[in-house]
Amino acid sequence: MQLEPQIIEVVTRIKSLREDSEISLEEMAKATGRSVEEYEAQESGEHDLSFTFLYKCATTLGVDVIELLTGSAPNLTGYELTGKGEGLVIKRRAGFEYLHKAPFFRNKLAEPFVVTAPCIAEEQDKPIHLSYHEGQELDFVISGTLRFAFEDHEEVLEAGDLVYYNSGRGHGMIATGGEPCVFLALVLKPGAQIM
């Protein structure tokens, strides 16, 4: 079953949780790395919500990012099986589609996504937008070609290639080669201890 959160519901949850927690706009803006005006535009639904923004909001508000997206807290503790093509669809950031593959598992140490990055012609000769979020990330290319930027370094990844990095430092990616790129992204939370 695919679920797709509606942006107005998500921003309403963010605003309600912020107000219930008595967190000011200024505090949320600082926590998400935005000006107050930028933060207000996102909280009101005027601007797109990147996963990084949602993740930082959830961390600041003390909830799982899935709770922001669905209104329900994850409740599975043993295991979660998500079939092919199933998961929580998150369409954000210029056509990127994130399919969360374990949305209902509670206390996750990592957020697993199958990401489809569109190949956008006008992005090919521009610098790649960099994101920052605490923790580490693993990206494994399933199909297509991905141009990956880490601070001032760039790499081209093809199917079967994997990159693992400190996501607290500037990173970003775009699909190249004229077709979308599909990759597995495993976003590890700060302090996660996987054994």
Side-chain angles (χ1 to χ4, degrees):
M1 174 173 75
Q2 280 196 354
L3 302 170
E4 188 171 338
Q6 301 300 316
I7 193 166
I8 195 68
E9 294 170 0
V10 174
V11 296
T12 299
R13 283 186 202 103
I14 292 170
K15 182 176 182 178
S16 295
L17 285 167
R18 178 183 63 74
E19 289 174 345
D20 287 349
S21 301
E22 298 181 357
I23 298 173
S24 70
L25 287 169
E26 291 77 12
E27 291 170 296
M28 284 299 285
K30 183 177 180 183
T32 58
R34 284 152 176 75
S35 69
V36 173
E37 294 77 22
E38 291 169 331
Y39 177 81
E40 284 183 301
Q42 290 195 287
E43 188 182 80
S44 68
E46 292 174 34
H47 290 135
D48 194 22
L49 307 175
S50 68
F51 177 74
T52 300
F53 174 80
L54 292 170
Y55 183 79
K56 288 178 178 180
C57 284
T59 300
T60 304
L61 297 167
V63 298
D64 191 290
V65 71
I66 299 306
E67 195 168 341
L68 291 182
L69 296 169
T70 68
S72 300
N75 57 4
L76 299 176
T77 58
Y79 74 96
E80 179 176 0
L81 174 64
T82 307
K84 180 179 180 178
E86 294 181 343
L88 177 66
V89 177
I90 306 168
K91 292 182 180 176
R92 302 286 176 261
R93 196 182 137 210
F96 273 63
E97 181 177 292
Y98 296 79
L99 184 60
H100 198 299
K101 297 299 283 184
F104 303 111
F105 194 88
R106 188 172 62 201
N107 299 323
K108 290 181 287 296
L109 300 177
E111 302 286 349
F113 297 95
V114 172
V115 181
T116 303
C119 187
I120 300 171
E122 54 269 12
E123 289 184 345
Q124 300 303 307
D125 297 320
K126 293 182 179 177
I128 296 174
H129 170 77
L130 301 180
S131 296
Y132 305 80
H133 54 88
E134 289 186 40
Q136 298 175 353
E137 187 167 334
L138 174 150
D139 296 332
F140 177 79
V141 178
I142 298 168
S143 65
T145 306
L146 191 70
R147 195 170 102 213
F148 169 77
F150 185 82
E151 296 179 332
D152 58 352
H153 302 281
E154 282 196 13
E155 304 285 346
V156 176
L157 288 75
E158 297 179 346
D161 290 343
L162 178 145
V163 61
Y164 189 96
Y165 52 94
N166 176 345
S167 55
R169 294 169 64 182
H171 63 280
M173 63 279 299
I174 62 168
T176 63
E179 62 184 46
C181 179
V182 178
F183 61 98
L184 171 68
L186 191 62
V187 180
L188 292 102
K189 296 179 179 181
Q193 300 213 355
I194 300 174
M195 297 186 189

